[in-house]
Amino acid sequence: LEYVPVMLTHAPTVPSNVTSSKTMTLTSLETKLAGKITGIAEGLFWDAPSGFVNSGSLPPKVGKATQYTIHWKLTNYGTDVDTIIVKAFLGGNVHMTSNVKSTTGTLPVYNPNTQEVVWEVNTLVAGKGVVNAPAEAIFQIEAIPSSSDIGKGMTLIQETRLTAVDTFTGEVVSSSDAPIFTTTLDDPMVNQQKGIVIQ
């Protein structure tokens, strides 16, 4: 938003060579307010609406593969943004499958050497996700617990980090979301106990 107030002030004295009884100065002030974009990461096992069918053991078992879907949802407030980059590293013994899609025309890309997933989006208009559905990417991952995971949750994806450029101010805006573990899924059908790795 751009706000340009106009301020009129009276000078305390009038120069001797001016015939007016008073003078005024005119000042313009421009203020630019940056927008805000947020990225939410969600993890699910039962996820038929995504079109991906996850399989595997619940609770997860050592040496056995279990699949999950990760949803990245972007909501943009206030101003248009571009050069959006969303990224996160997968947990140990976790990899991305070939099942991936998005609503933006660009897909998340997985680097198996670094275990990082990166999603680049060209632009998001102001209000995306506020007045309509958020921009979303969905990708399937597969986790194979090791013996060191027994009795606890396994890390599926580490912190999700987002950066974007506010097209109005030119400033970089950012946000992040917490890691997802097998014990902290957003799936109402999978409680914490079902996420604890067993032998």
Side-chain angles (χ1 to χ4, degrees), residues 40-44 47 50 69-73 136-139:
I40 301 297
E42 297 178 348
L44 300 168
D47 195 15
S50 73
T69 43
I70 302 297
H71 293 241
W72 278 343
K73 297 179 181 180
E136 184 174 11
I138 306 171
F139 56 95

Side-chain angles (χ1 to χ4, degrees), residues 15-191:
S16 60
N17 60 342
V18 176
T19 57
S20 175
S21 61
K22 61 182 178 179
T23 61
M24 290 185 292
T25 60
L26 189 64
T27 304
S28 176
L29 175 66
E30 180 180 22
T31 303
K32 289 186 175 182
L33 302 177
K36 176 184 177 183
I37 181 171
T38 59
I40 301 297
E42 297 178 348
L44 300 168
F45 177 78
W46 300 105
D47 195 15
S50 73
F52 302 150
V53 178
N54 295 316
S55 62
S57 173
L58 286 180
K61 293 182 179 180
V62 171
K64 303 293 184 182
T66 300
Q67 296 171 341
Y68 304 87
T69 43
I70 302 297
H71 293 241
W72 278 343
K73 297 179 181 180
L74 308 181
T75 299
N76 185 35
Y77 308 84
T79 60
D80 295 352
V81 293
D82 62 19
T83 321
I84 304 113
I85 301 174
V86 185
K87 57 175 64 175
F89 290 99
L90 300 183
N93 297 323
V94 180
H95 68 271
M96 184 172 153
T97 74
S98 60
N99 289 326
V100 57
K101 63 183 178 180
S102 84
T103 61
T104 65
T106 59
L107 297 174
V109 176
Y110 174 59
N111 183 333
N113 296 319
T114 62
Q115 285 192 285
E116 186 176 38
V117 182
V118 179
W119 181 32
E120 297 184 5
V121 180
N122 292 330
T123 185
L124 284 180
V125 297
K128 180 63 177 173
V130 179
V131 297
N132 52 17
E136 184 174 11
I138 306 171
F139 56 95
Q140 186 184 59
I141 59 174
E142 190 169 79
I144 304 176
S146 67
S147 57
S148 63
D149 297 312
I150 294 175
K152 59 185 179 181
M154 181 181 180
T155 303
L156 295 177
I157 186 169
Q158 299 180 31
E159 180 185 53
T160 296
R161 293 163 289 131
L162 178 154
T163 59
V165 176
D166 187 310
T167 60
F168 183 62
T169 65
E171 295 181 355
V172 175
V173 293
S174 62
S175 72
S176 63
D177 201 13
I180 298 174
F181 304 90
T182 55
T183 51
T184 62
L185 296 177
D186 299 276
D187 194 329
M189 302 294 290
V190 182
N191 60 30

